[in-house]
Amino acid sequence: MKIKVNDKVKIAVGKDKGKSGKVVQILPTSNQLVVEGINIMYKHIRPRKSGEKGQRVQFNGPISASNVLLLCPKCSQPVKIGIKAKAGIEGKKTAKSRICKKCKEAID
Ligand SMILES: [Zn+2]
């Protein structure tokens, strides 16, 4: 997945379309992520004992990673991410860095 924790993303699809937020969790196995303030869901907790009140807990539900665009920290636009191999020193593995497809700046 090209998106990482603490990235700012813009939601491109769904009920939160147009909103943006910070990525707080990545779920690579399901290709989903959790974004602060996006896809707010409620969990109802039933009272365990009589006399106790049930609770409603708010949390951010996961959304599909394909429904978000990265907000580029350099040009502040929702962009697609490109991958560019960094020029590696001979004999060493080349690291990959993410680049903004719009302004061509490295994101990492
Ligand atoms: Zn950019």
Side-chain angles (χ1 to χ4, degrees):
M1 197 184 294
K2 290 170 185 173
I3 307 269
K4 294 180 180 176
V5 171
N6 288 330
D7 278 347
K8 275 204 165 172
V9 293
K10 188 162 191 165
I11 314 305
V13 182
K15 66 169 182 168
D16 290 306
K17 186 177 173 178
K19 289 184 188 173
S20 56
K22 193 175 84 175
V23 177
V24 290
Q25 201 186 341
I26 302 280
L27 308 163
T29 48
S30 54
N31 200 36
Q32 287 179 311
L33 37 86
V34 179
V35 184
E36 214 170 54
I38 302 296
N39 196 22
I40 293 166
M41 298 172 103
Y42 297 95
K43 196 186 276 177
H44 294 266
I45 297 172
R46 290 187 178 200
R48 287 187 205 150
K49 293 178 228 161
S50 61
E52 252 182 18
K53 273 188 179 175
Q55 282 187 321
R56 201 169 76 134
V57 179
Q58 187 181 308
F59 68 103
N60 299 316
I63 54 167
S64 172
S66 56
N67 290 353
V68 305
L69 287 167
L70 183 82
L71 273 178
C72 174
K74 303 276 159 48
C75 65
S76 306
Q77 297 293 312
V79 294
K80 291 211 167 136
I81 304 163
I83 298 290
K84 191 180 162 191
K86 281 179 191 165
I89 302 158
E90 219 172 317
K92 286 190 179 176
K93 274 186 186 171
T94 50
K96 282 175 184 169
S97 74
R98 302 182 300 166
I99 56 156
C100 166
K101 283 197 174 173
K102 210 160 251 178
C103 66
K104 314 287 178 199
E105 289 284 340
I107 290 160
D108 291 314

